[in-house]
Amino acid sequence: MHTFTSRARKPGKLARLFGLLGASAALAFGTSAAQAEALPKELRLDYAYYSPTSLVLKHFGWLEQEVGAGTKVSWVLSQGSNRSLEYLNGGSIDFASTAGLAAVLSRANGSPIKTVYIASRPEWTALAVRKDSPIQSVADLKGKKIAATKGTDPYLFTLRSLEQAGLSKDDVELVHLQHPDGRVALEKGDVDAWAGLDPHLAASQVQAGSRILYRNVAFNSYGVLNVTERFAKEHPQAIATVLGAYEKARKWARENPEELAQLLAKESGLPLEVARLQLSRTDFSNAQPGPEHIAALKAAAPILVTEELVRRGVQVEQVVDQLIDPAFSAQAIARQ
């Protein structure tokens, strides 16, 4: 009986041993298993010529490698912040590349979005005129036609520039054109000035000799990555995974400026000289949303209110606080 009892217990000990080994394995691989379970079946991102790190990420396929076969990665081209936000709010993408002020404007007008990452600090917009234009200052634009894409950084840059010169949007004729069309309109003489956006602005400078009438880096908001509040609540691991891949792309961009210029030129179809000019005024050093970004966005609050770009009664500074969520990027940066 004793022998039988002893033999009967051995399988139990082995079972317990394998159970312990299984538990250890679960601990060791639990993170990746959780990631696989937490990620949706598809991640939908935009890419844009004004967001070089998005081009890097798409080109190398690092996100696809990270998520594996269980999650499909889809890419959509955004021609401007307004289009990107339309895609995000319409549910056709999960991650939207925009200018920071465009994101503020979107949230202020009712879109429940969150800014989770700083993709770049660009000086990507300025007011441009033709090379032979007699216009010499922003004040000279009174009564003139200015091409700008409504709801984007160049549009808001225009309003702030006019205000600084003692003008308002009622003193000029704003022609609402997408960025590439604004360039064409300027060069053809259909408008007197254009609120350009890189790489189209750099291309117009290099290829058509367009002249920068007014520049102000402080009026340029940051390039940011946004998600909806619902997506942030339901898929925090997906955001962490995407931002981890973006961090890899940002690191590569900083370490390979010439290769980045070549990639931008290839993707956009623009000359290498144009890509180099755009990137010469783009800073990739700080991806963590923080006080400096919040302060820069709040500085633009008055123009959004006075120009009635936000709903009556909206507290724009409060909107900025609600928009910026630094937690996701802090985790992604710490892991790199």
Side-chain angles (χ1 to χ4, degrees), residues 161-323:
S161 301
L162 291 171
E163 182 186 53
Q164 184 164 282
L167 302 176
S168 76
K169 65 181 180 183
D170 296 328
D171 293 312
V172 300
E173 182 181 344
L174 289 172
V175 181
H176 301 296
L177 296 171
Q178 287 297 311
H179 304 303
D181 300 325
R183 175 192 172 184
V184 172
L186 176 72
E187 294 174 5
K188 287 175 61 179
D190 293 338
V191 296
D192 302 289
W194 166 51
L197 180 74
D198 276 337
H200 310 291
L201 176 60
S204 192
Q205 287 179 264
V206 171
Q207 297 175 322
S210 296
R211 173 169 56 86
I212 299 297
L213 174 69
Y214 180 70
R215 64 191 298 180
N216 187 333
V217 68
F219 286 179
N220 285 253
S221 66
Y222 296 78
V224 302
L225 197 65
N226 309 287
V227 299
T228 63
E229 285 187 345
R230 179 177 178 179
F231 190 87
K233 183 178 180 180
E234 295 180 353
H235 302 290
Q237 186 57 55
I239 298 175
T241 301
V242 169
L243 296 193
Y246 255 99
E247 274 298 280
K248 189 173 182 178
R250 183 174 71 95
K251 184 173 185 290
W252 185 91
R254 295 186 69 190
E255 294 175 352
N256 300 277
E258 180 59 22
E259 290 84 351
L260 178 62
Q262 292 172 5
L263 175 61
L264 176 57
K266 178 183 176 183
E267 289 289 327
S268 64
L270 294 169
L272 183 58
E273 185 181 0
V274 171
R276 286 180 179 140
L277 178 56
Q278 173 182 343
L279 293 171
S280 71
R281 46 199 186 206
T282 305
D283 178 7
F284 300 103
S285 64
N286 183 13
Q288 176 62 53
E292 67 178 282
H293 309 105
I294 292 171
L297 294 175
K298 286 183 176 180
I303 193 71
L304 301 183
V305 174
T306 57
E307 294 291 345
E308 299 180 345
L309 295 172
V310 297
R311 294 175 301 175
R312 189 177 301 274
V314 169
Q315 300 297 315
V316 180
E317 293 197 358
Q318 186 178 23
V319 168
V320 173
D321 290 331
Q322 294 168 345
L323 173 72

